[in-house]
Amino acid sequence: MGVLETVGRIQHLGLGPHFRAKVAALRASFERRTGAFSSEDPWFEERSRAFWNDAVTAGRFGRDVESELAPTERAWLGPLERAHRGLFRGAKGNVLIDAWSGAELLVTALEDQSRAELRASSGQLFDGRVVACEDPWTVALLPGAVFHAASATVPIGLVIAIARARSLSTVETLDALLRMDRTLRSLSRVKAAFAYRPEALLPPLPAPAREGKPAPLPGGEGRRGTFREHDGER
């Protein structure tokens, strides 16, 4: 069983009723760090995929369903938890260049949707995670990458320069960029230079508890479409 199939299996198990509370807690953490999203948002499916990307890597959700995984699937849990998160741009020959760390990675496995997104990205920066394993030799781009707008590339350069100067971690910086992406998408007629600015690197203030019926889990019934916290870098 390959890593992409294993990720799909873990996500499928996460939609079961026994794991509803755990998945809800992981989603709440993801939204606190990167911005809230709902089924009414045009970007709901993309953010849902990004949430599961985070849950199976940084969130170590595979450990919660480990007893239901086959041995070949359990073998991927360690590599998933050590996934390299980066701010990538695609280059020729399935090479990814990480604008944050400077790493260049040759990807050997990616799903069809990710391949199509890379072809259409025109050099856009995207937040993604790459998992590597020696036996069998695999370097996989996980589903759930979030592509920043092309107009954001220049202001992102300034933001990450300030983040480095402040010694911010990979998680702090890339989570902040996801919040900026949400700002750009959610406010009409806002330019990228307004949404992507160093001031927005500050973490959001804790939100008050929301009253009423909790939202359905990503990928559950009533949602549009389906989709498939330890990070390898600090």
Side-chain angles (χ1 to χ4, degrees), residues 1-2 6 9-10 62-63 65-81:
M1 181 71 71
T6 298
R9 169 75 171 149
I10 292 171
R63 299 296 176 181
V65 299
E66 186 171 1
S67 63
E68 301 192 43
L69 299 177
T72 53
E73 295 169 329
R74 289 197 294 270
W76 283 109
L77 295 182
L80 282 168
E81 292 162 8

Side-chain angles (χ1 to χ4, degrees), residues 123-181:
Q124 290 168 249
L125 296 171
F126 66 91
D127 184 323
R129 285 176 168 87
V130 172
V131 174
C133 181
E134 292 184 358
D135 187 19
W137 178 256
T138 304
V139 181
L141 173 64
L142 297 185
V146 175
F147 285 78
H148 295 278
S151 60
T153 300
V154 172
I156 284 175
L158 174 60
V159 169
I160 63 177
I162 298 299
R164 288 193 186 100
R166 295 180 183 175
S167 299
L168 296 185
S169 69
T170 299
V171 172
E172 290 170 323
T173 303
L174 299 192
D175 282 351
L177 288 174
L178 289 183
R179 296 194 299 271
M180 298 177 205
D181 169 76

Side-chain angles (χ1 to χ4, degrees), residues 64-148:
D64 292 274
V65 299
E66 186 171 1
S67 63
E68 301 192 43
L69 299 177
T72 53
E73 295 169 329
R74 289 197 294 270
W76 283 109
L77 295 182
L80 282 168
E81 292 162 8
R82 296 189 296 271
H84 174 84
R85 184 181 180 188
L87 182 65
F88 298 108
R89 68 163 55 87
K92 291 182 178 180
N94 286 345
V95 172
L96 301 182
I97 301 172
D98 186 355
W100 172 250
S101 71
E104 295 189 17
L105 306 173
L106 175 60
V107 172
T108 64
L110 67 166
E111 61 169 9
D112 290 341
Q113 182 169 340
S114 296
R115 184 176 289 106
E117 288 171 341
L118 281 173
R119 287 199 194 104
S121 67
S122 301
Q124 290 168 249
L125 296 171
F126 66 91
D127 184 323
R129 285 176 168 87
V130 172
V131 174
C133 181
E134 292 184 358
D135 187 19
W137 178 256
T138 304
V139 181
L141 173 64
L142 297 185
V146 175
F147 285 78
H148 295 278

